[in-house]
Every structure is written in structure tokens, then in C-alpha cells.
């Protein structure tokens, strides 16, 4: 699945989209697990909205936006633990940053139809700084993603700029780094987008009638 060109592309650009890491059944298992987490959280009255807050959108629009985010999902359902150590996932990781790879944390992100929140351009570095900058995100797509439903956009090669100054709650100045500066990364369910935690990235609002569900594994 991985070859030297893929590894070089990641080193040069700070990201790599790998197609078909998970099959249809594995995607369905993770979708069911996502639904289970949301239902349990709602019953426990610990359901939280993680929509980004700031001057990126007018307040009346911000109020409407929803982004469901839960951390360490591999402790909540075995489907995510299986995904984290899946042979095709570990093959890709070994090629990019291996061979000694460790899972740092996991996260679930759900952008519901019509009002799924945007997230401005940022680096992940400020959230969990590391010395050697091997940290990367593996974003597992549980739904087809495109610009209409808020797919991820990345700035190729931006990881080579090193650590950039972030504003407030860990985002870049959106006037200097607008979402339009990113390269869209449309993907199919089962695909995984790998990107270094120094790679500038963000995503637009979900304007479609389709949910966009992603599982994010952070490895180092």
C-alpha cells in the first residue's frame, strides 16, 4: 500500500491521503460505535458542543453551529481500538514515521448536516507540543467528504515553517491564513488523511444535507 513516493510526498508536503485503509464493514462498525457514544453521552447528560468560538463568524451564525467532539474513543468502543492498530494503518505509519509508533490520543468529530461548524486554519502543535515534531494526525473518514460538507483543507509544505504564532484558543489569524489558502482534501469513507501536527489545516462549515464523521488518531 505504501511506497517510497508516498513517504517522500508526506515528507515534502506534510500530508498524505491513503485510500481504502478500511473496508465497508469496518466503516459501518465505527459508524455504529460513533452513534453509541453520542447516545450514551446524551443519556448521561454530558453531551457537549465543541463548535469553535471566535471572530471567524458573526455571533448569530456561531450559535447555530454544532461540532460533536469526544476524546479517547478507543476506550469507549473496541471498533476504534481495532482501527488504531489495523494492519493497513500500522503499515502506513511505519512508512511515514516508524518503526516505533505510539498512539497519543484519539478523538471523534461529527459535523451534522446544514450547521456543522467550521474550524479556522491552525497547527495542532499548540495543543500538545513535542520535541521531535513526529506527531501526526490520522483522520479516518466515516463518510465521503468534500467542500460541501466541510472536508479538511491543508497548506502543502507548511510544516517546514516550524511553529507559528497562534491567537487565543490555538488558531492562526484568519485574515493572514484564510481557509481559501488551503488545498481541499476530498476523501471517501474508509480513506485516511495523514498530516503532521505542524501542517496548517482547517475545514469549512458543513453546508450539505450529509453528516461528516471523522475519527482522529494522533500518533508519534
Amino acid at each position: 500500500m505504501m511506497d517510497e513516493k508516498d513517504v517522500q510526498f508526506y515528507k515534502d508536503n506534510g500530508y498524505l491521503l491513503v485510500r481504502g485503509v478500511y473496508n465497508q464493514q469496518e466503516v459501518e462498525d465505527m459508524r455504529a460505535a460513533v452513534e453509541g457514544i453520542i447516545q450514551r453521552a446524551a443519556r448521561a447528560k454530558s453531551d457537549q458542543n465543541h463548535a469553535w468560538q471566535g471572530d471567524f463568524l458573526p455571533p448569530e451564525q456561531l450559535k447555530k453551529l454544532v461540532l460533536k467532539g469526544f476524546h479517547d474513543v478507543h476506550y469507549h468502543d473496541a471498533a476504534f481500538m481495532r482501527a488504531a492498530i489495523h494492519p493497513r494503518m500500522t503499515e502506513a505509519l511505519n512508512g511515514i514515521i516508524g518503526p516505533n509508533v505510539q498512539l497519543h490520543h484519539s478523538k471523534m468529530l461529527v459535523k451534522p448536516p446544514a450547521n456543522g461548524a467550521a474550524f479556522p486554519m491552525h497547527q495542532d502543535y499548540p495543543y500538545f507540543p513535542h520535541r521531535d515534531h513526529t506527531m501526526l494526525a490520522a483522520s479516518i473518514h466515516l463518510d465521503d467528504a468534500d467542500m460541501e460538507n466541510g472536508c479538511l483543507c491543508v497548506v502543502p509544505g507548511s510544516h517546514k515553517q516550524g511553529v507559528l504564532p497562534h491567537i487565543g484558543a490555538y488558531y492562526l489569524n484568519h485574515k493572514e491564513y484564510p481557509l481559501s489558502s488551503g488545498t481541499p482534501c476530498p476523501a471517501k469513507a474508509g480513506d485516511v488523511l495523514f498530516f503532521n501536527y505542524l501542517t496548517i489545516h482547517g475545514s469549512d462549515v458543513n453546508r450539505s444535507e450529509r453528516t461528516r464523521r471523522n475519527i482522529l488518531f494522533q500518533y508519534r
Side-chain angles (χ1 to χ4, degrees):
M1 185 175 69
M2 293 285 295
D3 59 32
E4 287 182 17
K5 282 191 295 184
D6 293 325
V7 174
Q8 193 59 49
F9 185 92
Y10 176 83
K11 288 179 178 177
D12 292 342
N13 295 281
Y15 77 99
L16 178 69
L17 180 65
V18 180
R19 301 285 187 184
V21 176
Y22 300 97
N23 64 33
Q24 185 63 38
Q25 185 57 58
E26 289 160 344
V27 169
E28 291 292 346
D29 290 347
M30 284 187 276
R31 286 175 179 169
V34 165
E35 185 61 27
I37 288 174
I38 291 174
Q39 293 299 328
R40 290 195 297 275
R43 286 196 300 271
K45 293 185 172 57
S46 61
D47 188 21
Q48 294 181 19
N49 180 18
H50 291 268
W52 174 82
Q53 301 293 310
D55 60 355
F56 185 63
L57 288 172
E60 65 273 11
Q61 288 188 42
L62 270 175
K63 287 177 189 172
K64 300 174 186 175
L65 296 177
V66 179
L67 180 65
K68 299 298 182 190
F70 295 88
H71 282 77
D72 292 326
V73 292
H74 59 289
Y75 293 135
H76 290 261
D77 196 290
F80 301 126
M81 183 62 84
R82 288 194 295 270
I85 59 173
H86 193 287
R88 285 192 290 274
M89 173 66 92
T90 56
E91 180 189 344
L93 290 166
N94 277 323
I96 296 171
I97 59 168
N100 183 23
V101 180
Q102 183 182 55
L103 177 67
H104 184 261
H105 70 274
S106 65
K107 184 164 59 174
M108 176 185 100
L109 295 172
V110 178
K111 280 193 180 191
N115 62 346
F119 206 104
M121 288 303 214
H122 65 286
Q123 296 175 316
D124 286 341
Y125 171 88
Y127 294 92
F128 28 81
H130 277 64
R131 184 192 62 202
D132 295 330
H133 301 326
T134 61
M135 181 77 77
L136 61 73
S139 182
I140 302 170
H141 294 76
L142 301 186
D143 299 286
D144 293 354
D146 51 38
M147 284 301 288
E148 191 183 27
N149 70 341
C151 74
L152 214 67
C153 298
V154 301
V155 179
S158 55
H159 63 304
K160 294 179 179 178
Q161 298 178 46
V163 179
L164 298 172
H166 284 60
I167 299 168
Y170 308 108
Y171 61 93
L172 294 165
N173 185 325
H174 63 84
K175 293 183 177 70
E176 191 176 350
Y177 298 95
L179 272 171
S180 59
S181 65
T183 298
C185 295
K188 298 289 187 183
D191 295 349
V192 177
L193 179 67
F194 297 90
F195 57 93
N196 185 271
Y197 79 159
L198 291 175
T199 302
I200 298 171
H201 62 285
S203 63
D204 209 344
V205 173
N206 184 355
R207 297 185 175 87
S208 76
E209 295 302 314
R210 297 169 291 130
T211 299
R212 199 212 77 183
R213 292 165 287 189
N214 286 70
I215 301 301
L216 207 64
F217 290 129
Q218 295 279 356
Y219 296 96
R220 60 187 177 187

